[in-house]
Amino acid sequence: MLKLKLNQNVLECGTDEAGRGCLAGPVTAAAVILPDDFKNQILNDSKQLSEAKRQKLKPLLEDCSLSYGVTHIFMEEIDKINILNASVLAMQKAIAQLSPQPEHIIVDGNKFKPYHNIPHTCVIKGDGKFLNIAAASVLAKTYRDEFMEKIHEEFPMYNWKKNKGYPTKEHREAIRKYGITKYHRKSFRLLPEQLTIDF
């Protein structure tokens, strides 16, 4: 089982994002404060879990957490401020939804910006080390997947239901054939290049 949190004696939230490397759709972040007695043997980095396990964990995390927040930052904003800034903004907006506010923030990865004078620590691969970051990674992923499945109905030719907006061969071929939609990130460097790059 992962460790619950980094700092045992303070009210700490974990935060993570999903969809940073996508060609379409929002970047989605979650922030979660778990109770000190929280335990779960299955919870891990969302990328290590099957879709069925993530779906099973989602309501459990929503019920068990002291507080959680989830935010989408959409394509227009990503195009304006770039994907890295959009990822940080999404995490900060998710933290803003927490009540009570945390005394410490742990962030998956190595990039964050100070938020309201609350101390933070960046943890590389933190979603595989701490339960509160893993919980945030599962909520960010499941909420984003739901959004991508919804917009799939509007543009089924890109198969977002399956690829969730990531640059798969099928997604790249659909862009080549049909062009881009209002859900594609127009500033993403991968978009013009992706037609010639093999991932």
Side-chain angles (χ1 to χ4, degrees), residues 22-38:
C22 293
L23 301 179
V27 63
T28 304
V32 181
I33 300 174
L34 294 172
D36 284 343
D37 60 354
F38 180 85

Side-chain angles (χ1 to χ4, degrees), residues 102-135:
E103 298 164 321
H104 185 258
I105 300 161
I106 54 173
V107 184
D108 183 56
N110 61 355
K111 296 280 192 291
F112 197 65
K113 291 175 184 169
Y115 174 78
H116 288 321
N117 297 320
I118 300 172
H120 71 267
T121 305
C122 291
V123 184
I124 308 261
K125 298 199 170 154
D127 49 5
K129 295 173 183 170
F130 295 101
L131 288 169
N132 56 5
I133 300 182

Side-chain angles (χ1 to χ4, degrees), residues 147-158:
F147 180 86
M148 295 308 294
E149 284 160 21
K150 196 170 93 182
I151 63 172
H152 166 87
E153 305 301 323
E154 208 176 328
F155 294 100
M157 64 283 261
Y158 299 93

Side-chain angles (χ1 to χ4, degrees), residues 59-126:
L60 183 145
L61 293 170
E62 290 172 340
D63 289 345
C64 288
S65 64
L66 296 179
S67 186
Y68 72 91
V70 183
T71 302
H72 297 302
I73 300 291
F74 289 98
M75 299 64 62
E76 303 78 14
E77 187 84 2
I78 293 169
D79 289 341
K80 248 184 258 174
I81 64 175
N82 82 38
I83 187 61
L84 176 59
N85 287 326
S87 299
V88 171
L89 181 63
M91 290 190 276
Q92 291 189 338
K93 281 180 174 276
I95 294 164
Q97 295 173 19
L98 300 176
S99 179
Q101 282 283 279
E103 298 164 321
H104 185 258
I105 300 161
I106 54 173
V107 184
D108 183 56
N110 61 355
K111 296 280 192 291
F112 197 65
K113 291 175 184 169
Y115 174 78
H116 288 321
N117 297 320
I118 300 172
H120 71 267
T121 305
C122 291
V123 184
I124 308 261
K125 298 199 170 154

